[in-house]
Amino acid sequence: MAFAAANAGQAIPRIVLAGILVVAVNGIGQVYAPRVLPSSLDRGFWLAGSGLVAALAAFRETAPFVVVALVAVLFTFLAVCGRSVLHFLVRRARRRGKAVPALVVGAGAHGHQLARNLLAYPECGLLPLGFLDETAGEDACVPVLGGPGDVVHVVQAHGVRAVVIAGQGQQSTARAARSLGCDVYLAPDLGELIIDFVTLREHVRGFPLVRMRPEAQRGLSWLLKRALDIAVALTGLVVSAPILAVCAALVRMETGPGVLFRQRRVGYRGEPLELVKLRTLKPADAHESETLWSIAHDSRIGPVGRLLRRASFDELPQLWNVLKGDMSIVGPRPERPHFVKKFSRTIPGYGLRHRMPVGITGWAQIHGLRGDTSIEDRVRFDNHYIDGWTLRADLKIMLQTAWSLFRPGGS
């Protein structure tokens, strides 16, 4: 498209705009998304649409619409032809031994059928090296290399780059494989309910495949999340500096020296961090600080402390934690090591909260789950936020948090 615009005598800004629009529209339409069996006509309407949008941007003032349409059609034709050549070369390379080394998790009848088809049709691009299963099974076409719990060792030992889940209840195996950089696919049997609930875009010889979402940390949105954190934290510290100064003076008058309260918490991936808050209560000793669950109704809190907690002004110094990279603006609230150990033993899914950087506010907090509220509910809300994380979700939570400041409540 850029070449066409340049040969038509367009200015450099128009040429650049045409190229950017083609890539942007195709990116939105997932034209460049990897496929097990790529087809030249996949996402064809998006491909044609990107050509039309780019042609309109480059030629709309110098040519009639008929010419613009012809350019878009020519672009689409050449793009499809180019994709056809590329896909032919990819399939040819796969047949010559360039398929991706893969594991099949589940050595049942469904897993065996899938593995046989992958072996028989290497152009699918997945070459099964073996199964992961607790039992060896019968008439195995490839060896059983270990159980699902051995996924990390097997992936690293055999250079595996893809994992196909052909069994039930393998969420931890799938996540472990994804964290190692593998492409992970779910291969539901034809009788499974999930087939009626998801769009099946990929298949291997009629066996449907559902590609696992990539880790959020590997995408551009993750970098944008950090950039947003820095911008909000820096702005917040500058804007709130007068408020912090007044609050610090009031805290000094009420509790004496030491207006900042520092406490060890558990952060992203279980790493420790030192959280900073304005002091609203001086604990009796370090043990009380580490093990006392809530001070919301503690009689030792003075009027200033209660006002700061009600308005959440005591949380403002945590913007410094965000700026340092210890925390994010949005994420599960960090907890003390004593309670992390306790809740990890007693509440299913509690440890999964550490897949995301901890935050000042979060999905659980904007639903009223703060202070002395149900931990089970918090875990459910936090993991729901992490499983479906998007940058848009963070913006939504920030806006709802800002709105809640106009109707403050106790913590």
Side-chain angles (χ1 to χ4, degrees):
M1 181 57 68
F3 177 78
N7 278 274
Q10 299 298 320
I12 291 179
R14 288 283 181 88
I15 297 172
V16 173
L17 178 62
I20 290 175
L21 286 174
V22 164
V23 174
V25 175
N26 284 335
I28 293 171
Q30 298 184 342
V31 174
Y32 307 126
R35 301 291 295 271
V36 174
L37 275 175
S39 168
S40 302
L41 297 178
D42 282 342
R43 316 303 287 174
F45 286 113
W46 277 96
L47 193 66
S50 71
L52 181 59
V53 169
L56 283 170
F59 297 93
R60 69 179 185 275
E61 294 178 359
T62 59
F65 181 76
V66 173
V67 175
V68 172
L70 287 174
V71 170
V73 170
L74 180 60
F75 162 80
T76 304
F77 173 74
L78 293 176
V80 170
C81 290
R83 286 157 63 87
S84 298
V85 172
L86 176 63
H87 296 161
F88 170 77
L89 294 175
V90 168
R91 288 192 178 94
R92 184 178 180 182
R94 288 174 174 177
R95 293 192 195 100
R96 294 185 175 185
K98 298 296 184 180
V100 173
L103 290 175
V104 177
V105 182
H110 177 55
H112 276 277
Q113 290 178 344
L114 179 62
R116 289 193 188 97
N117 276 271
L118 290 174
L119 288 170
Y121 298 93
E123 63 267 25
C124 294
L126 298 174
L127 177 64
L129 302 180
F131 291 109
L132 289 183
D133 205 311
E134 297 297 344
T135 57
E138 298 179 2
D139 191 27
C141 54
V142 290
V144 175
L145 301 177
D150 302 318
V151 61
V152 174
H153 168 72
V154 175
V155 165
Q156 293 175 339
H158 294 271
V160 172
R161 290 164 48 202
V163 173
V164 182
I165 308 294
Q168 298 285 340
Q170 302 294 344
Q171 187 181 58
S172 60
T173 302
R175 285 176 172 168
R178 183 178 64 176
S179 69
L180 294 171
C182 294
D183 292 326
V184 182
Y185 304 89
L186 174 66
D189 204 344
L190 293 177
E192 293 185 27
L193 186 62
I194 189 176
I195 289 178
D196 293 324
F197 285 84
V198 299
T199 301
L200 301 174
R201 300 189 184 279
E202 302 198 66
H203 72 96
V204 170
R205 302 291 299 172
F207 290 91
L209 293 181
V210 181
R211 188 184 292 264
M212 190 176 188
R213 291 191 305 269
E215 286 186 301
Q217 292 87 335
R218 298 179 183 272
L220 175 62
S221 295
W222 193 255
L223 296 177
L224 295 177
K225 176 180 174 68
R226 179 58 187 154
L228 182 63
D229 283 342
I230 293 173
V232 173
L234 194 57
T235 303
L237 285 171
V238 172
V239 171
S240 65
I243 298 174
L244 278 169
V246 173
C247 292
L250 293 173
V251 168
R252 172 64 185 258
M253 291 171 58
E254 184 171 85
T255 64
V259 298
L260 291 179
F261 175 62
R262 302 175 185 273
Q263 191 176 62
R264 289 181 64 246
R265 300 284 179 106
V266 177
Y268 183 39
R269 293 177 175 170
E271 294 294 325
L273 66 91
E274 187 179 65
L275 182 139
V276 184
K277 299 176 69 173
L278 284 175
R279 185 182 298 280
T280 55
L281 169 72
K282 282 193 174 181
D285 51 38
H287 178 74
E288 182 186 51
S289 174
E290 292 291 333
T291 60
L292 181 63
W293 172 240
S294 175
I295 62 169
H297 305 291
D298 198 307
S299 60
R300 291 174 294 174
I301 302 178
V304 171
R306 295 197 181 281
L307 176 63
L308 295 183
R309 291 176 61 82
R310 189 175 298 115
S312 296
F313 286 165
D314 61 323
E315 310 281 0
L316 287 176
Q318 290 172 51
L319 292 171
W320 176 247
N321 286 109
V322 174
L323 203 58
K324 290 198 311 178
D326 295 336
M327 297 175 61
S328 175
I329 296 294
V330 180
R333 286 294 294 163
E335 193 47 80
R336 287 160 285 178
H338 170 81
F339 291 105
V340 168
K341 292 178 182 177
K342 175 182 176 181
F343 296 147
S344 295
R345 291 193 303 265
T346 58
I347 300 175
Y350 187 87
L352 295 175
R353 299 167 68 253
H354 299 125
R355 293 175 289 155
M356 183 71 72
V358 294
I360 296 177
T361 184
W363 186 239
Q365 282 65 46
I366 64 171
H367 285 86
L369 296 171
R370 50 192 303 232
D372 192 14
T373 53
S374 168
I375 302 301
E376 289 86 351
D377 288 347
R378 286 197 221 179
V379 169
R380 188 172 63 253
F381 273 83
D382 286 338
N383 282 313
H384 172 74
Y385 159 76
I386 296 169
D387 289 337
W389 177 82
T390 62
L391 194 62
R392 182 174 56 193
D394 276 10
L395 291 171
K396 176 182 176 181
I397 292 170
M398 287 183 193
L399 290 173
Q400 289 188 264
T401 301
W403 170 248
S404 70
L405 295 178
F406 293 100
R407 43 186 180 83
S411 61

